[in-house]
Amino acid sequence: MSNAPRLNRQLCFAMYSASRAATKAYRPLLDDLGLTYPQYLVMLVLWEEQPRSVRELGEELGLDSGTLSPLLKRLESLGLVDRRRAAGDERRVEVFLTDEGTALSARAAAIPQRLADAAGLPPAELDQLRETLSRLTAALHDLH
Amino acid sequence: MSNAPRLNRQLCFAMYSASRAATKAYRPLLDDLGLTYPQYLVMLVLWEEQPRSVRELGEELGLDSGTLSPLLKRLESLGLVDRRRAAGDERRVEVFLTDEGTALSARAAAIPQRLADAAGLPPAELDQLRETLSRLTAALHDLH
DNA sequence: CGCAATTGAGTTGTGCACAATTTAATTGTG
DNA sequence: CACAATTAAATTGTGCACAACTCAATTGCG
């Protein structure tokens, strides 16, 4: 009788569910490292290159300082990063890996493959999925 | 030098970004209805069929009472739903749409199409994407 | 029946997301 | 140089997510 949009027909719900399911699948692995999922994403960026300013981290991850500032403080209190005002521009805060933060990379290296295995879909399909999602994200971002 | 997993190669990050981008794209439309995105999802379920118990809503959406209880209280204080203990089983709380809650469905009906248009991908590709995400979510769920 | 185990909601505590605001440093322009 | 505009972080406030826990109602089993 109702012609309301059906939940299980909606792409938005599929993305919302998949994202939460993935985060949940990561949890036991990340618990071993003492990281939450967003903290892990920040560490991934820093393992690629550091130091990075808060603004650069925000651009890479699509997060603002309201999310990153407290998250980075928690990473600092875990002893994984240091935060220092940039020498040339005192507005910027640069985030450095500590030795411990750098070392954690080795223990995190196996995680992506373990998750890919758990996904139970062929690698080509996962790759295709990632590519389509990236284009969709870009399109949605262009709305503003 | 680093062989750390690259952020932009990771499917998990693509899902995380896409989900947040979609939520953000919905926001201006949902602001008109006075709903947040998770509140909209709950209303979608209720527009399909009501009343639904808190447990049923949780199963449909994959959310627990720790998320739903306060969310439903907010929907109640907006005048969109009522909550009553079930007659036969006093443990259950049944969520009913108010007249206002039912009426809101009409104003929400146009939203999915507007988002699909904004996505900028052909409908067939969006459908394929939704299907793949559903399978992935199911596989991740089966991990436990 | 009696009572332990289970089930359904709610509560508490932590950690994101994100809008809006604040504060301080820097830049651009007359 | 002065000073308005801009930029970078941090802060505040609201609302999810979710684990862990509490409490009450119900079920199942001896």
Side-chain angles (χ1 to χ4, degrees):
Chain A
M1 72 144 290
S2 157
N3 60 354
R6 298 254 315 282
L7 176 67
N8 55 14
R9 291 263 177 85
Q10 301 240 10
L11 175 58
C12 66
F13 178 66
M15 293 197 289
Y16 168 80
S17 296
S19 178
R20 287 191 300 123
T23 300
K24 211 171 286 191
Y26 270 93
R27 193 182 312 278
L29 305 179
L30 293 178
D31 279 349
D32 293 342
L33 307 186
L35 295 176
T36 66
Y37 181 70
Q39 288 166 10
Y40 168 69
L41 295 178
V42 169
M43 294 301 287
L44 280 178
V45 174
L46 291 171
W47 286 327
E48 276 182 35
E49 182 173 335
Q50 57 109 14
R52 303 279 261 257
S53 71
V54 174
R55 193 187 67 78
E56 288 166 341
L57 289 172
E59 273 182 8
E60 199 89 28
L61 296 161
L63 295 171
D64 68 9
S65 65
T67 300
L68 285 173
S69 288
L71 187 157
L72 291 168
K73 273 190 200 168
R74 283 186 282 271
L75 287 180
E76 189 172 40
S77 75
L78 290 171
L80 299 175
V81 305
D82 284 329
R83 295 183 306 146
R84 302 200 279 281
R85 289 281 164 186
D89 184 343
E90 290 281 326
R91 289 171 306 181
R92 295 164 61 89
V93 167
E94 299 197 310
V95 182
F96 295 76
L97 289 171
T98 61
D99 291 346
E100 196 182 341
T102 302
L104 199 63
S105 165
R107 290 171 56 208
I111 290 182
Q113 189 55 53
R114 290 184 61 183
L115 257 291
D117 295 346
L121 301 187
E125 194 165 9
L126 295 179
D127 236 57
Q128 160 76 34
L129 178 58
R130 183 176 57 69
E131 192 276 328
T132 307
L133 285 171
S134 298
R135 269 186 295 130
L136 179 58
T137 301
L140 291 174
H141 235 89
D142 286 347
L143 301 181
H144 261 178
Chain B
M1 62 149 291
S2 156
N3 59 354
R6 297 252 316 281
L7 177 68
N8 54 13
R9 291 266 177 86
Q10 301 239 9
L11 176 57
C12 66
F13 178 66
M15 291 196 293
Y16 168 79
S17 296
S19 179
R20 287 192 299 121
T23 300
K24 211 171 286 189
Y26 270 93
R27 193 182 313 277
L29 304 179
L30 293 178
D31 279 349
D32 292 343
L33 307 185
L35 294 176
T36 66
Y37 181 70
Q39 288 166 9
Y40 168 69
L41 295 178
V42 169
M43 293 301 287
L44 280 178
V45 174
L46 291 171
W47 286 328
E48 276 183 35
E49 181 174 335
Q50 57 110 13
R52 302 281 260 255
S53 71
V54 174
R55 192 189 68 78
E56 287 166 342
L57 290 171
E59 272 182 9
E60 200 89 28
L61 296 161
L63 295 172
D64 69 9
S65 65
T67 301
L68 285 173
S69 288
L71 187 157
L72 291 168
K73 273 190 200 168
R74 284 186 283 270
L75 287 180
E76 189 172 39
S77 76
L78 289 171
L80 299 175
V81 306
D82 284 330
R83 296 183 306 146
R84 303 200 278 282
R85 290 281 163 184
D89 184 343
E90 290 282 325
R91 291 171 305 181
R92 295 165 61 91
V93 167
E94 299 198 311
V95 182
F96 295 76
L97 290 171
T98 61
D99 290 347
E100 196 181 341
T102 301
L104 199 64
S105 165
R107 289 173 57 207
I111 289 183
Q113 190 55 54
R114 290 184 61 182
L115 257 290
D117 295 347
L121 301 187
E125 194 165 10
L126 295 179
D127 237 55
Q128 160 76 33
L129 178 59
R130 183 176 56 70
E131 193 276 329
T132 306
L133 286 171
S134 298
R135 269 188 296 131
L136 179 58
T137 302
L140 291 174
H141 235 89
D142 286 348
L143 301 181
H144 260 177

